[in-house]
Amino acid sequence: MASVAQVAHFLRWAPCNFSPQISRCHSSTFSHQFVCHGKFSISISVHGFRRTKSSSINFTCSASNKPSASSNDISSTAKIRSEVLSPFRSFRMFFYLAFIASGSLGGLIATSQLIGALANPARAAEVPEIVKGLGIDVAAVAVFAFLYSRDSKASNAQIARLTREENLSNLKIRVSDRKIIPLNSFRGIARLVILSGPGSFIAESFKLSEPFTEMLLDRGVLVVPFATDGEFPTFEFDESEDMTLMTSKRKRLWQLLPFDISEWSKWIDEQKSLANVSSESPVYMSLRLDGRVRGSGVGYPPWNAFVAQLPPVKGMWSGLLDGMDGRV
């Protein structure tokens, strides 16, 4: 019985490459299921008798050619957030369609009446009135079609932007050597400022932020520096005793680092391409408390503007001015 249990355990956990007789293994870049086919021999000893059996068995190891659920989740989340940000757009688009249908039906009826009036000389006096009604219907259809198209384009653009922001929120950040969390964990807690550029750009941004360190932290700002050339600078902190508090704040402001560099690089390159910005240009991007993009630009981040524009995250002004930061 022990031998049978061991064989069952083997069958349960056998890997794809258990035997050189495997004929094929199907895989895909976006898959989560491999199907491996092969023959093998199993020897089972029960009460001194040895039996050998050859079988053909399919093993499910990992991945099928199915899209991951994450893309659908992101799309659904973006649509929901779009509805929250523009709650009346769907109602407007519904009524636009209703008016377009009504105008089209009126235009069809007016056209048939016009054809009948033109074919009958006795109804010639009705032609101007029919043409007037037809013109009103055509104009109404054109106006409401334009309004529907404008709202539809705005909705698609907003969903695309929110989807990109959701993709950004799923990127990982290293907080410490043992703590790696997604960027969306900072929603409602911090206003992240993402820097992307060569190591020299990161180092200079670090120096420029020094006079504003305490005020930036009061406004919940945390920096995520991403060195595109792979040469991350070494930050120099004043470790003297009288600067202990300020050094602690400087380290806190610059404590975050991107994790999974390839994913970060891919996302940033896509944003540069959409904005028609050179891939070599250093850029910055500031996020709101709710994770949406507040602003972006080429070059060094305007630390002084952040201090002037952003309300503190604590104190009597925090709740009152949350809406100015884009809270939904």
Side-chain angles (χ1 to χ4, degrees):
M1 294 301 292
S3 299
V4 174
Q6 291 174 356
V7 171
H9 179 78
F10 171 80
L11 291 177
R12 181 179 178 184
W13 297 104
C16 273
N17 56 351
F18 67 93
S19 168
Q21 297 178 354
I22 291 178
S23 58
R24 61 185 183 274
C25 185
H26 306 290
S27 67
S28 173
T29 303
F30 302 98
S31 50
H32 297 283
Q33 199 174 40
F34 293 99
V35 179
C36 306
H37 306 274
K39 291 185 177 182
F40 62 94
S41 297
I42 304 176
S43 297
I44 306 175
S45 298
V46 182
H47 299 294
F49 295 94
R50 185 178 184 86
R51 298 177 60 187
T52 301
K53 183 177 180 179
S54 179
S55 303
S56 178
I57 295 181
N58 294 335
F59 289 89
T60 301
C61 306
S62 66
S64 102
N65 198 16
K66 297 180 180 179
S68 63
S70 59
S71 60
N72 294 330
D73 293 341
I74 291 174
S75 178
S76 300
T77 303
K79 289 180 180 179
I80 292 172
R81 293 184 66 191
S82 178
E83 290 291 337
V84 172
L85 293 174
S86 304
F88 300 109
R89 179 181 288 149
S90 298
F91 292 100
R92 291 199 306 268
M93 294 178 70
F94 171 78
F95 284 113
Y96 292 158
L97 287 176
F99 293 148
I100 290 172
S102 177
S104 299
L105 180 60
L108 182 61
I109 294 173
T111 300
S112 63
Q113 290 176 346
L114 180 62
I115 293 174
L118 293 175
N120 187 357
R123 300 177 56 192
E126 302 177 10
V127 172
E129 190 67 25
I130 295 174
V131 171
K132 180 180 177 181
L134 179 60
I136 292 174
D137 290 334
V138 171
V141 170
V143 169
F144 288 115
F146 167 75
L147 294 175
Y148 179 86
S149 175
R150 185 183 65 175
D151 263 359
S152 178
K153 290 179 180 178
S155 176
N156 292 336
Q158 186 179 58
I159 291 175
R161 176 177 59 81
L162 292 174
T163 299
R164 293 195 299 271
E165 291 177 356
E166 286 297 322
N167 291 336
L168 171 62
S169 71
N170 291 325
L171 295 178
K172 299 292 195 310
I173 291 180
R174 183 187 297 277
V175 180
S176 63
D177 292 340
R178 297 184 179 181
K179 189 174 183 180
I180 298 171
I181 58 177
L183 187 143
N184 56 28
S185 298
F186 291 92
R187 283 180 178 172
I189 300 175
R191 299 180 173 106
L192 301 182
V193 175
I194 300 171
L195 307 181
S196 174
S200 57
F201 167 76
I202 302 297
E204 187 63 23
S205 298
F206 174 78
K207 294 179 182 178
L208 293 175
S209 70
E210 184 173 4
F212 308 99
T213 298
E214 189 169 358
M215 291 178 287
L216 289 172
L217 287 176
D218 289 343
R219 287 152 178 77
V221 174
L222 295 177
V223 183
V224 183
F226 176 70
T228 55
D229 57 359
E231 298 180 2
F232 195 85
T234 301
F235 296 147
E236 297 182 359
F237 299 97
D238 189 345
E239 300 293 349
S240 60
E241 185 175 352
D242 57 339
M243 292 295 292
T244 300
L245 181 59
M246 179 55 66
T247 298
S248 175
K249 292 182 177 181
R250 294 283 289 159
K251 290 181 178 179
R252 180 185 171 193
L253 179 64
W254 290 83
Q255 66 179 325
L256 304 179
L257 292 174
F259 180 77
D260 196 346
I261 300 303
S262 61
E263 291 297 324
W264 276 89
S265 179
K266 178 182 177 182
W267 188 88
I268 291 174
D269 288 343
E270 288 177 355
Q271 307 318 301
K272 287 183 177 181
S273 176
L274 290 172
N276 294 321
V277 175
S278 170
S279 59
E280 304 298 327
S281 300
V283 295
Y284 72 90
M285 181 179 299
S286 63
L287 305 185
R288 303 174 189 262
L289 276 173
D290 60 7
R292 288 186 292 152
V293 176
R294 178 178 179 274
S296 59
V298 178
Y300 299 108
W303 303 117
N304 56 340
F306 293 158
V307 170
Q309 296 170 3
L310 296 174
V313 294
K314 296 180 181 179
M316 62 180 294
W317 302 108
S318 59
L320 179 63
L321 297 179
D322 280 346
M324 295 180 62
D325 193 35
R327 277 293 186 108
V328 177

